[in-house]
Structure formats: structure tokens, C-alpha cells
């Protein structure tokens, strides 16, 4: 009898240990990386750096960049700047390098910001393009002709593979150059989802808009050849009443055009596009989003339009993260989360990409939609209908890394690390996509954090165990 009782006591003790371990596992967060990177001041590259070089030639087009020009990828908007005189706003294009047989006419604009006057900023949309086709295009007719190329996306469809790069908060420091070079050496991506904060010109005295020009020349080596899908961040606001600049987003709006009208939006700061098998919704953290506002009403009408049988992957871009366990910009996205998170859960968004915090973090699938202020249900809970939230504001800008984390790591946080880098979201088919984050210190074949995504509409099983941090 004594042995039997002792055995039962031992069994109960072991069971308690198991319960404690399981509960501890549920209470603790995921991985806080122990990777140690070289610490030092993040410094803007000097104005005479090679990456800022003005192209040679008479009134040569510079700061060339492209983005999607319509709803489904059959148009491309080409933008560039000429400095000495307007020159031509015509773009020549075609499918053969030595026989560019088509042309499109664009327009140009200029703006003044305090004591700065911009060059002539051209925008031209090439329409009725064939899907999955390489096009060559040329700018600078009558002066210095420069030629580039791009490939249009495959036709929209449920099992169309496509690979996106993810970059945020890039700036124009030596670390920014490492990030862009590292991204360029990772040859998979076909377009960039850019989550806001571009030039950081506003970090310079009187919002030095020369730094908008240098940034445009810096990123041309990528964005002239593949579209970057733009989301606006706080460093695009450029609101400076102390120097008489009262129009928010003035430089950004003049320089970076997006196809917002194609999705029924009334503003370039929130819009949507379809690309291959992805439906991408861009939101604005710095525009009104409360009930009855234009952004609120647009998103309310937009989400029911998403046809997951056509575009299975539903992706949201927004600058300020809704879930953030760093002490930088802590809780800044909370009011927008309260307004919009129930919709994202209802419509089973696959992933939300954000920037703003200058570090990296990935969440589990969690939601906090039950909380109503009075019911005390204020802790995020696992929710397989919810998105994964990924903060990738780690491009390398002059403000440096966010390396002060809240402790303990919250239970919703799967992986976090204060390093600069970029990510790849590689859609395989309607059910599977592979995601990988690459820190700058590693080779491009190395993923510091990765996971397999199972599509929330077609294959909504638990994918939290697919992480490979």
C-alpha cells in the first residue's frame, strides 16, 4: 500500500511539473535573439558618395523609379527627375532592347519647400502591358537617353508563384547601403513591399530636400528595374510650420505616385493592388482612420471585395506596428489596431507588415479583439484567423537601431532582434508561402528567422510550429 501511494505521489508530482512547464511555455514569449552585432553610430553617407552620383550627360534623367500603375499589374508608372530643364516627359518602351517601338506621354510637376526648389519631376504610366513580359524603356528624349528594363507580373490567379522583398525605414546611411546591397544579392524577389520612411530628409536642418534627391539616386539601382509598392511613414509627413511649410507630405506626394484611384481610394496614402496571387492593402498610420473618416469607409468597403479564390494571399502594409514589444514607438499603433483589427481577423488577413520601429520582430497569430475596455480581456490570445504581424523597420536609417526591448518578451512575440536587414515573402501556391528574414551580417542564403505560412483561406491550419528561428 505504501509503495502504491508513493508511486501515485510521484505520478502527481510529475504531472504538476508537466503542467508548470506547459503553462510557462504559454506565458513566455518566443525567441529574443542573442546575436551580437557591431554597435556604432549610424551615419548618413556624405553627399559626394558614389551611390549619390548624378548621371552624366545633358539634362540626364535621374532618380528613376517604377511602381505598379493600375489594379492588376498591366500598367507601370515610371517616374524620374530632370534638373536643368523639363525636357521630354515621353517614355519609349518595347519588348526588344534594340527595338523600342511604343511610347507613352507623361506630365511633370515641381514644388518648393522653404529655400529649396525641386527639379522637374516626371510621371508617365505605361498601360495595356502584357503579363509576365520583360520590357525595356528609355527616358531623356532630346537630351541624354537612359535605358532600363522591368518584368511585368504574371496574370492574377490563385496558384501563381511570386516573390516579394520587404524593406522599411531605409534612409541613406552606410548601413542603408549594406541593406540594399544585401537585398540585391538575394536574387529571388520580383518587387518590393516598402513599409514607409524613405529618405529621412526631415532629420536634416530645415528638412533639407536635397536629401530627397540623393535618396532617389541611391535606390535607383533597384527601383528602376523592379516596382516598389509604397506605404507612407512619419518621415514623409514633412510638416514644418516653423519654416512656413504647412502642407503635409508635400515632397512625397510630388515624387512618389501610386494607383490609388484604381481601388476607389480618395487619397494616395491608402489603396490596394492585385499582383500575381496576392491582394495588397496599403493603410496610412498618419491619416485619419476613426469611424466615418475616408480611410475607415474605404477599408470597410474594400475588404469584402477581396476574392480569395482569385488572390488567396491577403497582405496589409502599414507603417506603425500594432504589436510591438520594443520600448521605441511603444503603443503608437494601438488606436488604429482597435479600429481595424476586428476586420483583419474577420477577413482572415495572412500577414501585416510594418516599419517604424528600427528593429525586427515577428508575432504568432494572435488577436485582441475581445477587449472592450470594461471586460478585462486585455491580453492578446492565439487566434488562427488572425494575421502574423511582422515589424521590419530595420533598413538602416540615421536614427539607428531600436535595441531596448520590453521584458519579459510577451507571449505573442515569436522572434525579435535588433539588427538591420531585409526579408523575402515567397508565395509558392494558394496554400503555402515561405518567409525569411535576412540580417545584413549574413550571406544571402542564410535566414536568421523564417517560417512557412499556411494560407488562412485555403489551408487555415496552425502554422506557428513552422518557425525556424
Amino acid at each position: 500500500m505504501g509503495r502504491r501511494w508513493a508511486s501515485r505521489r510521484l505520478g502527481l508530482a510529475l504531472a504538476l511539473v508537466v503542467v508548470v512547464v506547459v503553462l510557462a511555455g504559454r506565458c513566455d514569449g518566443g525567441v529574443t535573439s542573442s546575436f551580437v552585432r557591431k554597435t556604432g553610430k549610424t551615419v548618413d553617407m556624405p553627399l559626394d558618395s558614389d551611390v549619390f552620383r548624378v548621371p552624366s550627360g545633358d539634362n540626364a534623367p535621374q532618380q528613376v523609379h517604377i511602381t505598379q500603375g493600375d489594379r492588376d499589374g498591366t500598367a507601370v508608372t515610371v517616374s524620374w527627375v530632370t534638373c536643368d530643364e523639363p525636357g521630354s516627359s515621353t517614355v519609349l518602351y518595347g519588348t526588344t532592347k534594340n527595338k523600342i517601338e511604343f511610347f507613352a506621354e507623361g506630365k511633370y510637376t515641381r514644388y518648393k519647400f522653404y529655400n529649396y526648389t525641386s527639379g522637374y519631376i516626371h510621371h508617365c504610366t505605361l498601360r495595356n502591358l502584357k503579363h509576365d513580359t520583360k520590357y525595356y524603356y528609355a527616358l531623356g528624349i532630346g537630351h541624354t537617353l537612359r535605358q532600363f528594363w522591368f518584368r511585368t507580373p504574371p496574370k492574377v490567379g490563385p496558384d501563381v508563384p511570386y516573390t516579394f522583398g520587404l524593406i522599411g525605414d531605409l534612409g541613406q546611411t552606410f548601413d542603408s547601403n549594406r541593406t540594399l546591397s544585401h537585398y540585391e544579392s538575394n536574387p529571388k524577389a520580383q518587387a518590393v513591399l516598402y513599409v514607409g520612411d524613405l529618405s529621412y530628409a526631415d532629420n536634416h536642418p530645415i528638412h533639407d530636400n536635397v536629401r530627397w534627391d540623393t535618396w532617389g539616386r541611391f535606390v535607383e539601382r533597384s527601383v528602376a528595374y523592379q516596382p516598389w509598392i509604397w506605404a507612407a511613414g512619419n518621415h514623409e509627413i514633412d510638416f514644418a510650420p516653423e519654416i512656413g511649410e504647412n502642407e503635409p507630405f508635400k515632397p512625397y506626394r510630388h515624387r512618389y505616385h501610386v494607383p490609388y484611384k484604381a481601388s476607389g481610394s480618395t487619397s494616395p496614402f491608402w489603396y490596394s493592388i492585385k499582383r500575381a496571387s496576392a491582394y495588397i492593402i496599403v493603410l496610412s498610420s498618419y491619416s485619419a482612420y476613426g469611424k466615418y473618416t475616408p480611410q475607415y469607409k474605404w477599408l470597410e468597403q474594400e475588404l469584402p471585395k477581396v476574392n480569395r479564390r482569385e488572390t488567396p494571399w491577403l497582405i496589409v502594409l502599414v507603417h506603425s506596428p500594432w504589436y510591438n514589444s520594443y520600448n521605441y514607438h511603444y503603443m503608437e499603433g494601438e488606436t488604429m489596431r482597435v479600429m481595424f483589427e476586428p476586420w483583419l481577423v474577420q477577413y482572415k488577413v495572412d500577414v501585416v507588415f510594418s516599419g517604424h520601429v528600427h528593429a525586427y520582430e515577428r508575432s504568432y497569430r494572435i488577436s485582441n479583439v475581445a477587449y472592450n475596455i470594461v471586460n478585462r480581456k486585455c491580453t492578446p490570445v492565439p487566434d488562427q484567423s488572425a494575421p502574423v504581424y511582422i515589424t521590419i523597420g530595420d533598413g538602416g536609417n540615421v536614427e539607428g537601431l531600436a535595441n531596448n526591448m520590453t521584458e519579459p518578451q510577451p507571449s505573442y512575440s515569436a522572434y525579435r532582434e535588433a539588427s538591420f536587414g531585409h526579408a523575402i515573402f515567397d508565395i509558392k501556391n494558394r496554400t503555402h508561402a515561405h518567409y525569411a528574414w535576412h540580417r545584413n551580417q549574413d550571406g544571402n542564403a542564410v535566414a536568421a528567422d523564417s517560417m512557412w505560412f499556411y494560407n488562412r483561406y485555403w489551408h487555415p491550419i496552425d502554422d506557428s510550429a513552422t518557425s525556424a528561428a
Side-chain angles (χ1 to χ4, degrees):
M1 185 70 179
R3 289 180 181 175
R4 193 179 303 167
W5 173 240
S7 177
R8 290 175 65 186
R9 289 179 62 188
L10 179 60
L12 286 169
L14 288 172
L16 284 172
V17 169
V18 170
V19 169
V20 169
V21 169
V22 169
L23 288 176
R26 289 179 179 172
C27 293
D28 294 342
V31 174
T32 295
S33 173
S34 59
F35 178 79
V36 178
R37 79 256 351 118
K38 180 180 178 181
T39 56
K41 190 175 181 180
T42 309
V43 180
D44 271 336
M45 292 178 283
L47 292 173
D48 60 356
S49 298
D50 287 348
V51 295
F52 300 149
R53 184 185 294 118
V54 176
S56 60
D58 177 27
N59 204 38
Q62 59 168 273
Q63 305 173 51
V64 180
H65 55 274
I66 64 173
T67 193
Q68 186 158 314
D70 68 347
R71 187 87 158 130
D72 64 359
T74 60
V76 167
T77 296
V78 182
S79 304
W80 71 98
V81 175
T82 53
C83 289
D84 300 329
E85 58 180 281
S88 173
S89 294
T90 302
V91 176
L92 304 175
Y93 66 101
T95 56
T96 304
K97 186 175 184 179
N98 297 320
K99 188 182 179 183
I100 301 180
E101 55 188 333
F102 306 112
F103 71 92
E105 292 289 345
K107 296 180 180 180
Y108 72 86
T109 183
R110 302 186 84 183
Y111 72 92
K112 291 184 178 181
F113 192 97
Y114 190 55
N115 62 353
Y116 168 91
T117 301
S118 75
Y120 303 89
I121 305 167
H122 303 256
H123 302 284
C124 180
T125 300
L126 318 183
R127 302 187 186 277
N128 300 315
L129 303 175
K130 297 177 182 177
H131 283 292
D132 201 15
T133 301
K134 187 173 184 178
Y135 283 90
Y136 299 88
Y137 68 101
L139 325 163
I141 297 170
H143 292 85
T144 299
L145 204 66
R146 296 185 69 201
Q147 189 176 109
F148 306 87
W149 59 265
F150 61 82
R151 180 173 288 278
T152 53
K155 188 176 180 179
V156 170
D159 286 306
V160 180
Y162 199 78
T163 306
F164 293 100
L166 277 303
I167 300 176
D169 299 68
L170 186 59
Q172 45 194 306
T173 69
F174 292 99
D175 288 291
S176 311
N177 194 34
R178 292 185 190 99
T179 298
L180 189 54
S181 298
H182 198 207
Y183 170 71
E184 290 173 303
S185 70
N186 202 339
K188 295 179 181 179
Q190 299 159 275
V192 169
L193 303 179
Y194 194 89
V195 294
D197 282 359
L198 284 65
S199 72
Y200 287 79
D202 63 341
N203 272 35
H204 293 267
I206 59 172
H207 293 233
D208 185 3
N209 272 229
V210 170
R211 282 293 182 175
W212 275 104
D213 293 318
T214 55
W215 195 83
R217 294 195 292 270
F218 164 51
V219 298
E220 181 187 87
R221 70 201 207 211
S222 173
V223 71
Y225 298 93
Q226 61 175 236
W228 287 26
I229 310 304
W230 304 107
N234 56 297
H235 285 278
E236 279 71 76
I237 299 174
D238 278 309
F239 177 68
E242 69 278 8
I243 56 174
E245 291 297 340
N246 299 312
E247 180 186 337
F249 298 100
K250 185 198 285 186
Y252 175 77
R253 289 193 70 160
H254 278 80
R255 292 171 182 271
Y256 294 91
H257 281 195
V258 298
Y260 68 95
K261 292 180 181 178
S263 58
S265 171
T266 56
S267 167
F269 306 125
W270 59 88
Y271 63 100
S272 69
I273 60 169
K274 294 184 281 188
R275 195 166 184 89
S277 51
Y279 199 106
I280 298 159
I281 292 177
V282 178
L283 299 178
S284 175
S285 298
Y286 304 101
S287 303
Y289 48 77
K291 200 167 185 180
Y292 313 121
T293 61
Q295 184 172 199
Y296 179 98
K297 291 181 72 66
W298 176 83
L299 184 61
E300 184 180 34
Q301 295 167 5
E302 178 69 11
L303 284 166
K305 296 177 184 176
V306 181
N307 180 0
R308 304 295 281 272
R309 293 182 177 275
E310 178 191 52
T311 49
W313 294 94
L314 183 50
I315 299 169
V316 171
L317 310 183
V318 62
H319 184 63
S320 187
W322 298 355
Y323 288 93
N324 164 36
S325 70
Y326 289 80
N327 285 316
Y328 299 84
H329 304 303
Y330 185 64
M331 297 283 283
E332 283 184 22
E334 180 65 5
T335 53
M336 194 181 212
R337 181 198 67 76
V338 169
M339 295 304 301
F340 290 160
E341 186 185 22
W343 290 347
L344 270 57
V345 174
Q346 177 185 350
Y347 290 99
K348 299 182 187 297
V349 169
D350 291 291
V351 58
V352 176
F353 292 109
S354 304
H356 201 39
V357 177
H358 301 158
Y360 173 73
E361 185 167 23
R362 173 175 58 83
S363 79
Y364 296 112
R365 292 196 183 277
I366 41 88
S367 70
N368 198 10
V369 297
Y371 183 44
N372 64 7
I373 298 179
V374 297
N375 64 7
R376 300 184 181 181
K377 296 179 180 180
C378 54
T379 301
V381 297
D383 187 340
Q384 289 303 308
S385 292
V388 171
Y389 293 88
I390 293 176
T391 299
I392 188 158
D394 54 355
N397 67 80
V398 71
E399 294 179 341
L401 281 169
N403 53 16
N404 189 329
M405 305 173 186
T406 61
E407 297 293 349
Q409 183 175 3
S411 59
Y412 66 74
S413 176
Y415 186 94
R416 59 185 185 175
E417 179 175 322
S419 292
F420 293 131
H422 73 276
I424 301 292
F425 191 75
D426 187 11
I427 296 171
K428 305 296 186 181
N429 50 41
R430 74 182 68 191
T431 59
H432 288 72
H434 187 259
Y435 167 82
W437 174 67
H438 301 265
R439 68 167 75 93
N440 284 353
Q441 288 83 354
D442 299 330
N444 61 44
V446 177
D449 178 49
S450 65
M451 71 171 283
W452 279 99
F453 275 78
Y454 299 152
N455 186 269
R456 292 302 89 190
Y457 180 86
W458 287 101
H459 195 50
I461 65 172
D462 189 344
D463 50 15
S464 60
T466 68
S467 304

